[in-house]
Amino acid sequence: MTLHLVKLCVGVESVDQLRGYIEQRQILALSQGLSAEQIHTTRMVPTRIDELLDGGSLYWVIKGNVQVRQKLIDIRVHKDDAGKKSCDLVMEPFLHQTHFQPRRPFQGWRYLKASDAPLDVGGPMLDGDQLAEMPEGMRRELQELCLI
């Protein structure tokens, strides 16, 4: 059964800013002859790795709302010299915008059941391209008014 992670995107103000960071990291990695993999390192290691890699994504909370997700490709567990574990969350470098889902601040990451995950932008309400092109502030207001 598919399982997801949700994490705060600390220091990021918008989806466009996150997209810019991803692009910058890819350009830098390629210019140095490194892999362009999109990696986020976290100190805590998930225990449900098989479920996460069965189609799971990392959902990013930006400005108090889940707004975007990245599909998980791999989870690589590491141990330092002191035996302390950490892991690399390897993700697609593409962002999939989701409908806003409010989240209170929390530390680290949390599991997110597939049934509780926000839907990707698109679907019966508006065409996905229309919503993706809509200014973020306008989209937030329309969702708060339950119009989309």
Side-chain angles (χ1 to χ4, degrees):
M1 183 161 74
T2 301
L3 187 65
H4 306 288
L5 293 175
V6 63
K7 184 162 180 26
L8 297 181
C9 199
V10 179
V12 172
E13 298 289 319
S14 69
V15 172
D16 287 335
Q17 186 179 11
L18 178 59
R19 188 175 288 115
Y21 286 150
I22 290 169
E23 290 170 3
Q24 285 176 340
R25 281 182 275 189
Q26 284 188 303
I27 291 167
L28 183 61
L30 291 172
S31 70
Q32 295 175 349
L34 303 171
S35 169
E37 288 182 322
Q38 189 62 39
I39 295 174
H40 178 77
T41 302
T42 180
R43 289 183 294 156
M44 300 302 292
V45 178
T47 57
R48 301 170 70 179
I49 292 175
D50 291 339
E51 292 171 86
L52 291 167
L53 294 179
D54 184 25
S57 292
L58 176 61
Y59 284 78
W60 290 108
V61 177
I62 301 171
K63 300 293 280 181
N65 288 287
V66 173
Q67 295 188 35
V68 70
R69 70 178 178 86
Q70 286 181 280
K71 188 171 191 279
L72 290 168
I73 297 171
D74 196 10
I75 297 175
R76 299 179 188 145
V77 179
H78 306 283
K79 258 189 202 177
D80 66 12
D81 294 337
K84 199 168 198 173
K85 286 185 178 180
S86 65
C87 76
D88 290 340
L89 303 173
V90 183
M91 304 165 287
E92 284 183 341
F94 312 108
L95 297 175
H96 304 274
Q97 283 190 293
T98 66
H99 290 281
F100 283 29
Q101 185 182 70
R103 288 287 170 149
R104 292 181 185 261
F106 59 92
Q107 290 185 341
W109 49 261
R110 300 287 185 268
Y111 288 116
L112 178 64
K113 291 186 229 173
S115 60
D116 296 336
L119 297 174
D120 286 355
V121 166
M125 293 178 268
L126 277 177
D127 179 80
D129 291 337
Q130 290 173 316
L131 269 177
E133 292 174 10
M134 187 180 292
E136 200 170 301
M138 181 186 291
R139 186 165 62 104
R140 178 179 288 128
E141 281 187 50
L142 290 173
Q143 282 193 298
E144 287 172 359
L145 295 169
C146 299
L147 296 174
I148 58 172

